[in-house]
Amino acid sequence: KLRSNNDYEKLTEEKEQLGYEFEMLMEVKNNLELENERLHEEVGYHKEKGSQNEDQTKLQQQNNQLRQDNELHLRKIAALEHKLTAERSLRESVEEELKVLEDQNRLRA
């Protein structure tokens, strides 16, 4: 009986220890599940952020292209303005020369 009583106490202690260990494992499991949920949310956030970064990169590339196109158009406009100024100047000198010739013709006539 003493042996069985001693065995009973050991089994009771083991049962309590196993119960305690089970509770600890359940707590660890719950913490891991919470961490897993948090990581899933973080992955979703980073995927969304990555998508936003891709969009941002595309927008920056488009912006750079538009800026280059704009600079090219501004250079073309400047060249056209320069050409227009030169043509105006040429027209004015041709008109002056024409006036001189008309005046000479009138004097001859």
Side-chain angles (χ1 to χ4, degrees):
K1 227 176 186 184
L2 188 62
R3 179 167 161 73
S4 67
N5 205 13
N6 198 10
D7 288 342
Y8 177 78
E9 284 178 20
K10 281 185 181 177
L11 287 173
T12 303
E13 283 177 21
E14 281 183 35
K15 180 183 170 194
E16 286 175 9
Q17 183 64 30
L18 287 173
Y20 173 75
E21 287 177 13
F22 178 78
E23 284 180 31
M24 294 296 289
L25 287 173
M26 288 303 289
E27 191 174 325
V28 167
K29 176 184 172 249
N30 289 337
N31 287 339
L32 288 173
E33 286 173 348
L34 288 173
E35 179 69 7
N36 193 29
E37 282 179 39
R38 189 189 67 74
L39 288 173
H40 275 294
E41 288 173 8
E42 194 173 318
V43 164
Y45 169 80
H46 285 296
K47 279 184 182 175
E48 185 178 322
K49 199 73 173 161
S51 176
Q52 288 175 355
N53 286 341
E54 287 174 15
D55 292 345
Q56 185 81 18
T57 301
K58 286 178 187 174
L59 287 174
Q60 284 175 341
Q61 289 171 344
Q62 289 175 344
N63 193 25
N64 288 340
Q65 185 62 49
L66 289 172
R67 190 174 287 126
Q68 289 174 354
D69 292 349
N70 193 30
E71 288 173 7
L72 178 64
H73 290 132
L74 288 174
R75 284 196 296 274
K76 285 181 180 178
I77 288 170
L80 288 172
E81 285 175 341
H82 180 73
K83 184 178 177 183
L84 183 62
T85 302
E87 287 177 356
R88 274 189 194 139
S89 178
L90 179 63
R91 187 185 75 215
E92 287 171 1
S93 58
V94 166
E95 285 174 352
E96 284 178 29
E97 199 174 318
L98 185 61
K99 245 184 196 177
V100 168
L101 289 174
E102 285 174 349
D103 287 346
Q104 286 176 356
N105 276 346
R106 250 184 271 144
L107 289 176
R108 286 186 191 154

